[in-house]
Structure formats: structure tokens, C-alpha cells
Amino acid sequence: MGDMFRSEKMALCQLFIQPDATYASIAELGETGCVQFRDLNEEVNAFHRKYVTELRRCDDMERRLRYVETQITKDEIKLPTILPDQEPAAPNPRETVDLEAQLEKTENELREMSANSASLKANFRHMQELKSVLENTEGFFSNQEVINLDSNRVVDPSVEVSAQSQRGQLAFVAGVIKLERFFSFERMLWRISRGNIFLRRSDISGLCENEETGIPELKTVFVAFFQGDQLKQRIKKVCTGYHASVYPCPSSSAERAEMIRDVNVRLEDLKLVLNQSADHRQRVLSAASKKLPSWVIMVRKMKAIYFVLNQFNPDVTGKCLIGEGWVPQSDLLNVQKALARGSKLSESSIPAFMNVIDTNEQPPTYTRTNKFTNGFQNLIDAYGMASYREVNPALYTCITFPFLFAVMFGDLGHGLILLAFASFLIIRERQLSVIKEELFNIFFGGRYIIFLMGIFSIYTGLIYNDVFSKSMNLFGSGWRMNYNTSTVVNNGLNFITLRPNDTNFKTYPLGMDPIWQLADNKIIFLNTFKMKLSIIFGVLHMVFGVTMSVVNFVYYRRYASIFLEFLPQILFLLLLFGYMVFMMFFKWVVYNDTSDDQALSPGCAPSILILFINMMLFGSQEPLDGCKEYMFKGQELLQTIFIVQLKNYFN
């Protein structure tokens, strides 16, 4: 757990490592995670540093890994999870070459398969559209006798040949277009031909896959009949503009039937090839998915090593690399052991060593945490990082934060839900720690916070006697009805007052008496009680926080700050909010139903809020008949003294 009261003592260390052993040494230091390196090459551009080539190789490998991961995700192949204690170590330079070659081979193979698959799918799609054109245009020529005068020309048999030669031959263009574009396409053809084009269409049954996006869409087959080669060129240009695919279509029924048979054979061959390609792609991706998480971790570690090495400086002789970094004093021995392991792994003839440098620089703040305290420390760091060796608020937040939450939350039923949810996260934390979902990780990181919030909410829920906004009668109510039956029955719709002096005979053993659920002033009483309780704990919490600053002033020997900072802050809190808390307790003790003095009865109890506002504004309020404006003699003078003293002190 480490020293949670203050941040760790840090030491500035200078590392001397032989160039051949730097990679292995930094890898070992990275596994310990106890060195924060300083950049000794701040004036050097990032592109002019020694290991920029290696970093570019790592970036290239990361690009390949992202592409492979994209392909695996596209095929919905599940990636295996690697637990933190199963992470692979950083690869040595020899393994890096093999890893790079393997990634390049996998990427090239996947890209080649993707290109071939796209080409095969495009051919298959075109064959399907050609088949639809051949089948759907059959009805367009069924009532005509087609004469094979040209590849795409038809004639009417009722017209004599001599007349045909005079009037010209009827040609056609067949193709496929998106259904949503057909009507605009039809209007455009009518305009460019001035109504001299006869257009027929037949919708393709089912959805067709879009070539670019792969989204299914509706398409239709069209045939445009016209006369003249000039009009034919215009039609083809319009088809190109509307992204309509034009396909050859024989004018003879026998030729179309023969062509359909050929297309069906080619479609079956393409289906077989596509299935074999998909199986091969699935095998390659399955093999890559088993190694991908390890590859990602290895490349990231390797990139981090070269990033750190770029912060090192060579010595004068060029036979050694020098680096500087902050190390917790308790980890100095671990750093020396890591350097020794790195030199041994690289078989270096000169061992690496470390020197501690005396410096007047402000060290970084480092607080050692574990899985329980990490969530609370992150909560504190979100509001601001503590100075070096300053008192760490996270130690006290482990209790104060969930308890203050429970004071405001205060529901036993919802507390049980929080406790059950947090318990599930804690029990399954080993399996859930590998999930990378951002929103889930927020809850998972604070699982112990939620756990304590649930426990304290159960406690405050018992005190408030609140279970899903309902009360439990565990020990029997301490109130009794002293009215007879006729009084209750004849009272009508009027409410009956239960005076504590007459109807309360015992104190409820734990928490709030359940009789308050039946009271007309339930919300007013319970909300006021909870609000005052929150104010009391909030003021105590603020006083505690201000008092902890004295510990910092004494540690840093800033004794003047005790008088110039602590005393004004504590006086402000105590003379204002502390005095308000005092009035709450005084009101609870003095004003009760057993007093014989009407001025001390509950009906004459003054409002703490009104008293506090009048105190700040030097105002007053006329009390009710038989009541007093202030709770005790000399209160007005005391409040005036508090305000005047605060004003003089801060001026």
C-alpha cells in the first residue's frame, strides 16, 4: 500500500548504461515501473534524435496491427483476452525483425485476399445483374418477331422490308440502375430525345448489394428503344452520369437463353471460388487473432523503450548513454537490480550503474496505491494534484467520501443494490479487468468506492428508516394515541396533533420512528432533519480539512502561514458555520414540549436560517406573541461581535 499519509520521497538518479545494454535495461526498468525519466534532449527536434528510425518502424507495425484488427473485427472474430500477469515482455532486437516480417506477411496476405475478394464479388454482382437483364427483358420481346439485322436491333414483322430500309431500324440499350434514380433517369432520356425513346423497366426481386458501401438496395432493369446511332451515344452518356450499368443483351430469344445458361455456369464457379476464399480468409484471421493481443503489447512496449532512449544523451567518449530520472527512494534497490538484469541479458562487458544526484528541484508527486486505494487517489487527483510530500487527502477520503454520500443518499434498499453491484465487480475483477469499454472502466475503477458507498448507505438507511422510500416497524412505534374513538371519528377531515409530551412514551431504539410515515408534516420534518445533519457533517469535514493544513505548515516550516492562513480560515468557519451548528444543537436541547415556558415551546422555536441571515445583514424579525426573537440572552450582542471581529480581522 505504501505511505498514503504523504507522497513518496523521490531521488533524482543518473543512469550510465552501455549502448548495447540500453534496450534490455530500459525494458527491465519498464517492467518495474518506478522511474520517471527526464528529457535530456529538449532542444533536439523529434525527427533528429538517435532512435527516430526505430520509432518509425514501431509506428509502421502499429499501423499493420490496426489493419489486422480491423479485418478481424469486420469478420466478428473474438479476440482472446490477456490478463495483466500474462502480458508478454518486450521483444529483443532479434525478435523484432521476426515480428516485423510476420506482421508484414499477414498484412500483405490480408490485403491481397481483400482485393481478390472485392474483384470476385464485383464479377459475381455483375453476373447476377446480367442474368437479371437477360431474364427480365424476355417479356419486352415476346410479342415481336426479332430479326437479327444487328446485335442490338429489332424490327416489327408487320412492316415490309422496303419500308424498313426507308424508316430505319429500331435499336435498344439494356442495363441496370438504382430504383431511386430511375424516374429522374427516365425524364432525362425523354428530354434529350424529345420523346423519341421508348423506355421499359422491370424491378429486380430482392435487394442488391451496393458496390461501394455494401448496403443492400433496390435496383431495376431497363430497356431503352430508339432510332439512330447519335441517340445511342447520348443514352450511353446519360447512363454513365446516372451510374447505370449497361449490359449486352441479344435480340434473339435463343441467344438469350444460351447466354443465360453460360451465366449460370459462371455464377456457380464464382460461388465456389468465393466460398473457398472466405474459408481461407477465416483461417488466416483466426490464426492472427490468437497472437494479435500479444503483438499489440509487444509493439507498445518496444515503442515506449525507444521513446525513453531518445531522452538519453551520449557521454563525451561515446561509449555510454546517460539518462536521468526520478525514482522513489524505496525503489532504488529495485532499479539497481533491474539494471543488473538488463546488463546480464545483453551480455554487456561493462555493468550499468546509477548515481543519486543532490538537487534543489521540486520532485514530482508520487503516491503508491493498490487496487483499493487507486480509485480514491484518482478521485482526489481529478480535483488537483497534491504538492510534493504534502498531506494526502485520499487517505481520509477512503472513509469520508462514501460516508458523506450515504448521509445525503440514505436509502437501505438502494444501498443494497449498490453493494450487490460493487460486490459483483470485486468478485469478478480478474475477468472484468480486461474490458476496454470506457464507460464501464469508470465504474470498474471505482468498485471499492461504490462498495463502501453501499455499506454506509445501508447504515444511514437504517438510521433514516428508509427502504425504497418506505419505513420498517422493527421495534414497535414509541407513539400512542391518547384520543378516544369518538374524538377520532367525529374529527372529520381535520388532522389530529400528537404532542410528544402526551403521546410519546419511548425512544425508537434505532433510527427514525416509523410513525412519521403517517404524519402530515413528514416531508418537512425529515428533510429538515437530513439537511441539518448534512450541514453538521459538512462543517466538521471542512474544519478537519483546514486543520490538516497545519500539518503541512509545520512540515514545511512555514510557521507564519499558521497565523496568516490557518487562523483566518478556522475563525471564518467557526464564527459563522460553527456558530450555526451550535444553534442547531441548542435549539434541539432547549425547545421541547415538556417546558412550562411558552417561549421555549416548539411553536416558538426560531428558524436557524432566518437567524443566520439576520446575523449577516444586521437585521431583525418581529417574533410571535409570547415568543422571543433570539434563543438566549445576549445572542444579538454575541452575533454582532462575531461579525465585527471577522470584518476587522480580514481588513
Side-chain angles (χ1 to χ4, degrees), residues 327-617:
V327 181
Q329 290 187 5
S330 58
D331 287 330
L332 290 176
L333 183 60
N334 294 332
V335 172
Q336 292 176 348
K337 291 181 179 178
L339 292 175
R341 289 196 300 269
S343 299
K344 183 178 180 181
L345 289 174
S346 58
E347 298 179 355
S348 175
S349 58
I350 303 176
F353 60 94
M354 174 184 66
N355 289 335
V356 178
I357 306 174
D358 293 332
T359 179
N360 294 326
E361 295 184 34
Q362 180 77 9
T365 302
Y366 172 69
T367 304
R368 199 183 303 272
T369 59
N370 54 26
K371 61 182 181 181
F372 175 79
T373 59
N374 185 58
F376 295 97
Q377 189 65 52
N378 290 336
L379 182 65
I380 294 298
D381 293 342
Y383 290 93
M385 184 70 69
S387 300
Y388 176 66
R389 296 296 291 167
E390 193 177 43
V391 172
N392 185 17
L395 178 64
Y396 315 102
T397 306
C398 295
I399 295 299
T400 58
F401 179 82
F403 179 73
L404 291 177
F405 167 83
V407 170
M408 296 180 289
F409 190 68
D411 191 292
L412 188 147
H414 291 93
L416 288 173
I417 296 176
L418 284 178
L419 183 63
F421 175 67
S423 300
F424 170 76
L425 295 180
I426 293 173
I427 294 172
R428 302 292 299 275
E429 64 181 9
R430 183 177 175 86
Q431 293 81 4
L432 299 176
S433 61
V434 297
I435 298 178
K436 302 302 181 183
E437 185 67 30
E438 182 179 359
L439 182 61
F440 173 79
N441 287 336
I442 295 176
F443 292 101
F444 182 75
R447 59 192 181 280
Y448 289 100
I449 301 178
I450 301 174
F451 181 78
L452 291 181
M453 286 162 54
I455 291 178
F456 284 119
S457 296
I458 293 173
Y459 168 74
T460 54
L462 286 172
I463 298 299
Y464 297 157
N465 201 355
D466 197 352
V467 185
F468 296 115
S469 299
K470 300 294 182 181
S471 293
M472 300 180 297
N473 191 1
L474 300 177
F475 307 102
S477 176
W479 294 73
R480 61 190 172 195
M481 180 70 68
N482 286 341
Y483 298 97
N484 55 32
T485 304
S486 60
T487 303
V488 175
V489 173
N490 298 329
N491 195 53
L493 298 177
N494 298 323
F495 293 100
I496 298 176
T497 302
L498 300 181
R499 293 186 59 185
N501 193 26
D502 300 329
T503 55
N504 183 260
F505 65 94
K506 72 172 183 178
T507 302
Y508 197 71
L510 179 64
M512 194 67 64
D513 196 300
I515 195 67
W516 283 103
Q517 287 290 333
L518 305 176
D520 178 53
N521 60 336
K522 173 188 68 172
I523 296 178
I524 298 175
F525 171 75
L526 292 179
N527 286 358
T528 303
F529 170 75
K530 294 176 182 179
M531 182 190 69
K532 291 179 179 179
L533 202 60
S534 299
I535 292 174
I536 292 171
F537 281 109
V539 172
L540 289 175
H541 191 238
M542 288 189 293
V543 171
F544 173 75
V546 173
T547 306
M548 290 305 298
S549 64
V550 179
V551 182
N552 290 327
F553 296 148
V554 173
Y555 180 82
Y556 292 118
R557 298 181 180 179
R558 294 164 49 191
Y559 301 110
S561 298
I562 298 177
F563 300 96
L564 299 178
E565 293 185 30
F566 169 70
L567 285 181
Q569 293 173 354
I570 201 68
L571 281 175
F572 180 83
L573 277 174
L574 294 180
L575 295 186
L576 292 183
F577 299 102
Y579 173 68
M580 181 173 61
V581 173
F582 163 76
M583 286 193 294
M584 292 179 187
F585 283 98
F586 189 86
K587 179 179 177 180
W588 287 339
V589 173
V590 174
Y591 292 88
N592 56 75
D593 199 28
T594 60
S595 177
D596 296 330
D597 188 358
Q598 181 183 355
L600 299 179
S601 62
C604 288
S607 171
I608 301 296
L609 180 61
I610 299 300
L611 280 176
F612 190 73
I613 293 175
N614 290 335
M615 170 184 169
M616 302 300 298
L617 301 179

Side-chain angles (χ1 to χ4, degrees), residues 176-391:
V176 176
I177 191 174
K178 290 183 181 179
L179 183 61
E180 60 184 12
R181 297 178 180 174
F182 175 78
F183 303 102
S184 175
F185 174 73
E186 184 180 21
R187 288 194 299 270
M188 181 60 68
L189 291 180
W190 185 84
R191 289 172 181 171
I192 66 172
S193 65
R194 299 182 181 182
N196 292 323
I197 292 180
F198 179 63
L199 190 66
R200 299 284 300 274
R201 76 178 178 94
S202 177
D203 295 340
I204 299 176
S205 60
L207 298 175
C208 302
E209 184 179 351
N210 187 282
E211 297 182 6
E212 298 178 355
T213 62
I215 300 175
E217 57 188 4
L218 294 172
K219 290 188 177 182
T220 184
V221 174
F222 70 90
V223 177
F225 297 94
F226 58 91
Q227 282 184 338
D229 292 336
Q230 186 177 4
L231 197 56
K232 180 179 182 180
Q233 298 300 325
R234 292 182 183 180
I235 293 175
K236 288 187 176 181
K237 288 183 179 180
V238 173
C239 291
T240 303
Y242 278 85
H243 300 283
S245 301
V246 178
Y247 294 98
C249 180
S251 57
S252 171
S253 178
E255 291 181 1
R256 286 196 300 272
E258 180 65 24
M259 195 170 183
I260 289 176
R261 287 193 293 270
D262 294 339
V263 169
N264 286 332
V265 173
R266 295 185 63 182
L267 283 175
E268 292 299 325
D269 294 339
L270 285 173
K271 285 182 182 179
L272 180 61
V273 175
L274 283 172
N275 291 334
Q276 292 177 349
S277 300
D279 292 340
H280 180 59
R281 174 185 172 88
Q282 189 75 12
R283 288 193 298 270
V284 173
L285 290 177
S286 298
S289 65
K290 297 177 182 178
K291 301 178 181 179
L292 184 65
S294 299
W295 288 345
V296 172
I297 295 174
M298 293 166 69
V299 172
R300 286 178 180 174
K301 288 185 176 182
M302 184 170 56
K303 185 177 180 181
I305 291 171
Y306 288 120
F307 177 80
V308 171
L309 288 177
N310 271 335
Q311 300 177 354
F312 278 51
N313 256 343
D315 66 345
V316 179
T317 61
K319 298 180 180 180
C320 184
L321 289 179
I322 303 174
E324 292 182 2
W326 294 99
V327 181
Q329 290 187 5
S330 58
D331 287 330
L332 290 176
L333 183 60
N334 294 332
V335 172
Q336 292 176 348
K337 291 181 179 178
L339 292 175
R341 289 196 300 269
S343 299
K344 183 178 180 181
L345 289 174
S346 58
E347 298 179 355
S348 175
S349 58
I350 303 176
F353 60 94
M354 174 184 66
N355 289 335
V356 178
I357 306 174
D358 293 332
T359 179
N360 294 326
E361 295 184 34
Q362 180 77 9
T365 302
Y366 172 69
T367 304
R368 199 183 303 272
T369 59
N370 54 26
K371 61 182 181 181
F372 175 79
T373 59
N374 185 58
F376 295 97
Q377 189 65 52
N378 290 336
L379 182 65
I380 294 298
D381 293 342
Y383 290 93
M385 184 70 69
S387 300
Y388 176 66
R389 296 296 291 167
E390 193 177 43
V391 172

